[in-house]
Amino acid sequence: MSTPPGVPARTPPSVPPRTPPRVLTVAGSDSGGGAGIQADLKTMLALGVHGMSVLTAVTAQNSLGVQGAWELPVEAVRAQYRSVADDIGVQAVKTGMLSSAELVEAVAELIGGTDAPTVVDPVGVSKHGDSLLASSALDSVRTRLLPVATVATPNLDEVAQLTGVTVESEDGMRRAAEAVLSYGPDWALIKGGHLSGDAVDFLTDGSDELWLRAPRFDNRHTHGTGCTLASAIASELAKGRSVPDAVVAAKEYVTGAIAAGFSLGAGIGPVHHGWRLTSATG
């Protein structure tokens, strides 16, 4: 096939492309494309890793909220995970929406048998306030999922849901982290986006501490922020970064995505996962 006029011919690479790091997301689908599996895979592509997915639930969801959710059978979740992990392999795992105790326990067992860092985003409530986690599953998250996490990334509502600790200012974030770490993750990243002032997050393993600050933008279109941050951390871990370095890089990426968030539908629009690409191309 000839090259069209005005289009430069492409020279095939002399060296086969290297396989990028592989990251597996275990999460629900967001039909509106702003959060969940869709946000995870967009983030992974933007950060140069190969994203793979295990679908745990299907939601009918748009900019106004979640109109319905249907959980997949545990055997379907387990089969997806084994299919990917046993053949392709994974270098990091990220979990999102796991709506029932049965699903939480099955996924925790799968992760426990996988030699890869895991980022657990303990999704409890959507951006619009819709519950995405059955109350009966909370204990399974505490006792089965958090103990196998490399990094747990709860927001302040999820901290309160899991630990009973209510945070109203930065002073309470260290106490929140201690409560989350008591369930066994290696690191806790407490997301302070619901506080006033700068967007402040606090990372600790109980010894080392890191405060991460970013300006708060006058932009309400922030759907998918939590999924995006957790996926970005997993992507950076898959590249071989340390947890603190991965979190710093992920925070920088998601800050740009929030700044570029755009209107979609009649409600809250998504963050812009491809902001670096559009910035580079003008």
Side-chain angles (χ1 to χ4, degrees), residues 42-70:
K42 291 174 187 178
T43 298
M44 292 168 190
L45 178 63
L47 295 179
V49 302
H50 176 67
M52 306 169 292
S53 62
V54 171
L55 196 62
T56 62
V58 174
T59 70
Q61 187 172 169
N62 56 26
S63 70
L64 297 173
V66 179
Q67 292 78 47
W70 297 267

Side-chain angles (χ1 to χ4, degrees), residues 6-50:
V7 177
R10 296 183 62 187
T11 303
S14 57
V15 179
R18 182 179 66 87
T19 301
R22 292 143 288 157
V23 183
L24 178 63
T25 170
V26 184
S29 168
D30 172 3
S31 54
I37 288 280
Q38 288 82 353
D40 297 340
L41 294 177
K42 291 174 187 178
T43 298
M44 292 168 190
L45 178 63
L47 295 179
V49 302
H50 176 67

Side-chain angles (χ1 to χ4, degrees), residues 159 163-168 170-181 190 202:
V159 167
T163 72
V165 173
T166 300
V167 177
E168 297 180 349
E170 285 185 32
D171 293 340
M173 294 179 74
R174 184 177 283 107
R175 184 164 55 93
E178 292 171 354
V180 172
L181 287 174
I190 308 301
F202 176 62

Side-chain angles (χ1 to χ4, degrees), residues 63-233:
S63 70
L64 297 173
V66 179
Q67 292 78 47
W70 297 267
E71 181 181 301
L72 265 68
V74 168
E75 56 267 29
V77 171
R78 185 177 288 111
Q80 291 175 80
Y81 193 105
R82 288 266 59 93
S83 178
V84 172
D86 293 348
D87 171 48
I88 301 172
V90 300
Q91 290 167 289
V93 180
K94 176 262 177 183
T95 72
M97 179 183 175
L98 303 172
S99 53
S100 69
E102 190 179 16
L103 264 183
V104 170
E105 291 170 12
V107 170
E109 181 182 355
L110 290 163
I111 290 171
T114 304
D115 184 20
T118 299
V119 180
V120 170
D121 184 18
V123 177
V125 180
S126 77
K127 179 70 68 178
H128 306 86
D130 302 293
S131 177
L132 299 175
L133 178 69
S135 58
S136 58
L138 285 172
D139 194 54
S140 295
V141 172
R142 298 182 190 106
T143 63
R144 299 291 298 276
L145 190 60
L146 289 178
V148 298
T150 306
V151 190
T153 64
N155 62 32
L156 299 185
D157 289 340
E158 291 156 354
V159 167
Q161 190 178 35
L162 288 167
T163 72
V165 173
T166 300
V167 177
E168 297 180 349
S169 68
E170 285 185 32
D171 293 340
M173 294 179 74
R174 184 177 283 107
R175 184 164 55 93
E178 292 171 354
V180 172
L181 287 174
S182 71
Y183 292 113
D186 295 336
W187 293 80
L189 176 66
I190 308 301
K191 299 179 294 189
H194 293 177
L195 298 175
S196 59
D198 287 347
V200 179
D201 302 325
F202 176 62
L203 175 71
T204 183
D205 63 353
S207 177
D208 294 334
E209 296 182 349
L210 180 63
W211 291 91
L212 300 101
R213 298 180 183 275
R216 188 177 297 276
F217 301 103
D218 185 19
N219 183 0
R220 73 189 189 100
H221 301 301
T222 57
H223 184 49
T225 306
C227 304
T228 301
L229 179 63
S231 294
I233 295 170

